Amino acid sequence: MKKKILAMVLAASMAGALLAGCSSKQEQPSPSETEEPGAPQETGEADDTEASGDLGDPVTLTVTLTAVSTDTHAQAMQKFKETVEELSGGNITVEVYTDAQLFSQEEEVAAVVMGDADLTLTSASWLTTGSPWVSMFTAGYLFNSYDHMTTTLNGEVGKEVFQKISEEQGLFPLGAWYLGSREISLSTDKAVKTPEDLKGVNLRMPNTEAWLFLGEALGANPTPMSFSELYLALQTGSVDGQDNPLGSVESAKFYEVQKSITLTHHLVDSVWPAINNAKWESLSEAQKDIVLKGIEAGREFCDTTNLQKESELVAFFEGEGLSIYEADIPAFQEHVLNYYLESDISNDWDMEMYDKVAEIGQEFVK
């Protein structure tokens, strides 16, 4: 069964993966109304309820981010803040803390679940401990393009995924923002054509089982490390390289201490603005509506900015003296997907949902 799925996914993604970071942006709907308790409600234009200020008691939302303040998704959270505070007329205050000021990357999800913070930007890889089936969304080459990712996660499949996470873990993802397609960056000038070229390479990965497994699947020796420690580790040679979207390489200035980037497009990555369940339920319906409009404003800024950056940054890095290489994408795809489907990690996957994701991907094969 898994072999059949692998063949289907490879067929869907072979053509699309090369365009993973270059697809044109499509307008996506906000999370729509569901009958599930706590699910996001449909949003529209500002209404009389907002204008009249009939929102309920004032509320403050505390946001914790590991991202540096210059990261696009950190700036997108500022866009969220501006939108929410403006639409609420000050009824909702948003306090945004970047650069791991409040919690480390390893602590953020737990902090939101415990109510020590209200919101964060997380991803599938940080949610697999509480929901092992979510590791499906950490698999390399699951999505073949930006359009495939955002249509899936900001559509019906995403609503199902986020509601289930809410029920299992105590925090509720409200959407998916495009982080970028992850590439391999090394501190030496070396082309990474196939997974074999990563043998023995100490590749920094975020410190979760799902992230470390991805590093293994790529063929590297994954080394766990917090994002805030990475620049110094690259500078001193504690690790040989890292994987991040081009936008993160630029904003965190990793290019200053690296010499080459290979475009592997191995993960069309997204971050999920997620709120503490109890905090979400404490909001009035009008406040929820405003929060969701803020989430959509943040998504539009994040997605548009990162897509634009990806179209320009290769030339920028070459101008900074880095060598840019193209990976053998089919070789990576087959190796990585086989690694997942032949391991125990995929035993927890919802294969019916996996099929839905693969089917959506067929729409974006060029």
Side-chain angles (χ1 to χ4, degrees):
M1 177 62 178
K2 288 183 179 180
K3 287 291 187 181
K4 179 180 178 181
I5 292 169
L6 171 63
M8 180 172 63
V9 173
L10 285 174
S13 59
M14 200 70 74
L18 291 173
L19 303 173
C22 306
S23 176
S24 62
K25 178 179 179 292
Q26 290 187 340
E27 289 297 323
Q28 298 299 324
S30 302
S32 60
E33 185 174 0
T34 83
E35 296 180 358
E36 296 291 343
Q41 302 298 302
E42 187 174 343
T43 65
E45 296 302 318
D47 57 24
D48 292 338
T49 302
E50 292 171 20
S52 69
D54 185 17
L55 298 171
D57 294 335
V59 64
T60 298
L61 299 177
T62 302
V63 182
T64 175
L65 301 177
T66 302
V68 297
S69 60
T70 53
D71 266 341
T72 299
H73 48 296
Q75 294 173 341
M77 189 57 79
Q78 291 292 341
K79 188 71 172 179
F80 165 81
K81 168 186 168 69
E82 294 167 9
T83 302
V84 166
E85 292 183 345
E86 180 180 354
L87 288 177
S88 71
N91 174 266
I92 304 174
T93 301
V94 181
E95 298 177 347
V96 180
Y97 296 89
T98 62
D99 299 84
Q101 292 179 69
L102 296 184
F103 301 99
S104 70
Q105 194 170 43
E106 292 79 10
E107 297 168 334
E108 281 184 329
V109 169
V112 172
V113 170
M114 296 297 293
D116 295 325
D118 299 313
L119 271 158
T120 191
L121 288 172
T122 188
S123 66
S125 297
W126 294 101
L127 299 171
T128 56
T129 300
S131 303
W133 58 274
V134 175
S135 64
M136 180 176 75
F137 293 96
T138 71
Y141 300 103
L142 175 70
F143 297 120
N144 62 41
S145 64
Y146 161 78
D147 291 319
H148 184 193
M149 179 281 294
T150 195
T151 299
T152 300
L153 294 178
N154 290 309
E156 293 301 314
V157 170
K159 286 194 290 186
E160 182 181 348
V161 169
F162 298 156
Q163 181 62 34
K164 190 173 180 182
I165 289 170
S166 173
E167 293 168 356
E168 293 177 348
Q169 299 203 42
L171 81 169
F172 189 21
L174 299 174
W177 296 355
Y178 182 52
L179 186 62
S181 294
R182 297 181 83 95
E183 320 293 0
I184 301 293
S185 303
L186 298 179
S187 299
T188 58
D189 189 349
K190 177 182 179 181
V192 182
K193 291 295 185 181
T194 70
E196 183 66 23
D197 293 323
L198 285 174
K199 185 175 182 180
V201 172
N202 293 322
L203 190 71
R204 175 269 173 180
M205 301 297 290
N207 190 16
T208 71
E209 182 180 353
W211 278 119
L212 296 173
F213 189 90
L214 174 60
E216 290 180 11
L218 290 168
N221 176 30
T223 304
M225 183 174 295
S226 184
F227 186 84
S228 58
E229 301 171 2
L230 181 52
Y231 185 98
L232 181 60
L234 292 168
Q235 189 176 45
T236 60
S238 298
V239 292
D240 301 318
Q242 52 92 25
D243 87 310
N244 262 300
L246 298 182
S248 296
V249 175
E250 185 267 338
S251 62
K253 300 187 181 299
F254 294 148
Y255 64 87
E256 295 178 344
V257 289
Q258 299 202 280
K259 294 184 178 178
S260 63
I261 298 174
T262 297
L263 303 177
T264 52
H265 307 319
H266 56 271
L267 187 66
V268 181
D269 207 4
S270 61
V271 288
W272 302 349
I275 190 169
N276 171 272
N277 274 5
K279 191 71 170 188
W280 177 253
E281 292 302 333
S282 74
L283 302 179
S284 68
E285 291 305 311
Q287 287 171 332
K288 289 179 181 179
D289 185 65
I290 290 173
V291 167
L292 289 174
K293 286 171 182 169
I295 293 295
E296 179 61 11
R299 185 192 71 80
E300 289 180 356
F301 176 89
C302 191
D303 292 17
T304 301
T305 303
N306 278 332
L307 287 167
Q308 181 65 27
K309 278 187 174 184
E310 286 184 327
S311 70
E312 301 170 347
L313 281 176
V314 167
F316 169 77
F317 291 135
E318 288 178 330
E320 292 294 318
L322 276 72
S323 299
I324 307 296
Y325 300 106
E326 294 276 353
D328 182 343
I329 300 295
F332 265 100
Q333 284 178 319
E334 184 171 5
H335 181 273
V336 170
L337 284 171
N338 265 319
Y339 200 88
Y340 274 89
L341 292 170
E342 292 179 356
S343 74
D344 291 341
I345 196 172
S346 60
N347 291 342
D348 294 314
W349 292 3
D350 181 338
M351 302 312 294
E352 183 176 342
M353 184 179 289
Y354 194 96
D355 288 342
K356 290 179 184 177
V357 175
E359 184 177 353
I360 293 170
Q362 295 283 348
E363 301 174 26
F364 304 106
V365 174
K366 299 185 183 296

